[in-house]
Amino acid sequence: MERMYLDHAATTPVRGEVLQAMLPYFSEIYGNANSLHWFGRRAACATDDARDGVAACIGAMPSEVYFTSGGTEADNWALCGAARANAAKGRHIVVSAIEHAAVLAAAKQMEAEGFEVAYAPVDADGRADLSRLEALLRPDTTLVAVMAANNEVGTLQPVSEISALVRPRGILLFCDAVQAAGVLPLDVNAPAVDLLSLSAHKFGGPKGVGALYVRSGVKMGKLVAGGHQERGMRGGTTNVPAVVGLCAALRLVREEQAQTAAHLAALRDAFVGRVLRGAEGAALSGAGAARLPGIAHLTFAGLDGEAILYSLDLAGVAASAGAACSSGSLEPSHVLRAMGMPDALARSGVRFSFGKENTEREAERAADILIEVVARLRALGGARA
Ligand code: PLP
């Protein structure tokens, strides 16, 4: 059976060029980047080059880039590290209601530490509501967290407008760019942000490595106590192959950004157009807002999203509930809830996310399979109890 992978928002395959760039650092160049001898210096050289490369790709200085074990760690560090380090100024932070669990769980942790957290609402398309966000800002607000693009629905957030709103008041802006990095231009100065997180496995790099940008001068707490790695902020022997892979993947993504975005948008639009025409009750979530080119979140009123996913998988199409239900729980997604979507409709949602290796033929075939699945489930009386 031909299998189609339409779950690139969950993770992407490591690109061949990236793997080749990483391979020597597993075996030939295995030194500890902190060792002073020749073996260590070669590893340190690769780490420096990776830091320079990541910095250049996002318009930062190398001294502002810290490597982490991925997006979750970068998000936790950004939120908790900045909130704690700036607590003397205030203990109030604002987090958009549709952030990834890595940010929301960190916010909960800060609440447990006695911080006050306000959740900024979004409109029906999943876009942060500027005036309501502004109304949440207080003199003791130290940090606002708003992602560049949502991972479930793909909605782009008004980061420029939010930057203009919060930074002149001396409030730090943290942007989770984990989903945006593979497809949108990234520049920490346009729009200006103070903290920005990345994760390599979302754009053709390896899993378990990411980066946090911290603008020079921003007060930040340590993440991991240990050695002097990452300028004393995050202890632990540097994962040299991983940071080399992160940099190689990001460089490729930057070079190919416009072309990739156009390709993904064409696939998504062909797919969505066909599904909306052919599948009864299909609706595109966030349709009124600008969205990431590769993500399409669709609902199928009256059906169960998980039943659709299982049927798609049996037919060779890999998609995702888009965290519509976190596994094992029947709780509908916090993102769809924040958009005001009724729970029953949210439970019918499926996320399709395209990648650069997908073809137009695949997009059309996947749409035809989905149309067939929806028709079959409806014929079976697949309405939810
Ligand atoms: N932030 C967003 C928006 C994401 O989509 C993800 C991954 O799903 C993460 C953070 C977490 O990244 P990682 O898988 O590298 O921990």
Side-chain angles (χ1 to χ4, degrees), residues 215-289:
R215 185 175 289 279
S216 165
V218 167
K219 271 194 175 169
M220 255 324 248
K222 271 190 194 191
L223 176 68
V224 180
H228 297 294
Q229 294 89 356
E230 301 304 308
R231 299 178 294 287
M233 298 289 273
R234 182 195 185 267
T237 301
T238 306
N239 186 346
V240 181
V243 302
V244 166
L246 163 67
C247 174
L250 194 59
R251 280 186 171 134
L252 286 170
V253 153
R254 293 299 101 201
E255 277 163 28
E256 300 166 359
Q257 186 269 322
Q259 198 185 322
T260 305
H263 173 62
L264 297 184
L267 296 184
R268 177 199 62 185
D269 293 344
F271 173 80
V272 169
R274 214 169 166 103
V275 174
L276 292 181
R277 282 191 302 274
E280 189 194 328
L284 178 64
S285 310

Side-chain angles (χ1 to χ4, degrees), residues 9-10 70-73 75 100 102 147 149 151 176 178-179 199 201-202:
T72 299
E73 185 184 304
D75 284 354
H100 188 269
M147 66 205 322
N151 49 299
D176 172 339
V178 167
Q179 285 294 337
S199 175
H201 76 101
K202 304 291 187 182

Side-chain angles (χ1 to χ4, degrees), residues 1 9 28 36 42 95 100 132 155 195 198 223 268 272 281 283 296 314 320 330 343-344 346 361 363 369 383:
M1 177 183 21
E28 293 152 48
L36 293 179
R42 291 185 77 195
V95 172
H100 188 269
R132 292 175 73 190
T155 311
L195 300 138
L198 299 173
L223 176 68
R268 177 199 62 185
V272 169
L314 285 174
S320 158
L330 285 174
D343 285 359
R361 199 190 69 83
I369 291 172

Side-chain angles (χ1 to χ4, degrees), residues 19-112:
L19 182 61
Q20 288 310 314
M22 292 171 69
L23 280 178
Y25 297 94
F26 286 105
S27 49
E28 293 152 48
I29 312 170
Y30 53 80
N32 183 323
N34 268 50
S35 300
L36 293 179
H37 47 61
W38 180 82
F39 295 89
R41 286 200 308 275
R42 291 185 77 195
C45 229
T47 305
D48 290 347
D49 179 59
R51 201 181 310 279
D52 292 351
V54 170
C57 286
I58 62 171
M61 292 186 290
S63 59
E64 297 173 313
V65 172
Y66 296 85
F67 293 124
T68 68
S69 73
T72 299
E73 185 184 304
D75 284 354
N76 269 250
W77 188 9
L79 205 94
C80 302
R84 289 184 192 130
N86 293 280
K89 188 176 164 235
R91 295 171 76 82
H92 181 249
I93 60 181
V94 177
V95 172
S96 103
I98 57 157
E99 293 299 296
H100 188 269
V103 172
L104 292 176
K108 284 271 168 269
Q109 192 172 319
M110 297 322 293
E111 281 184 297

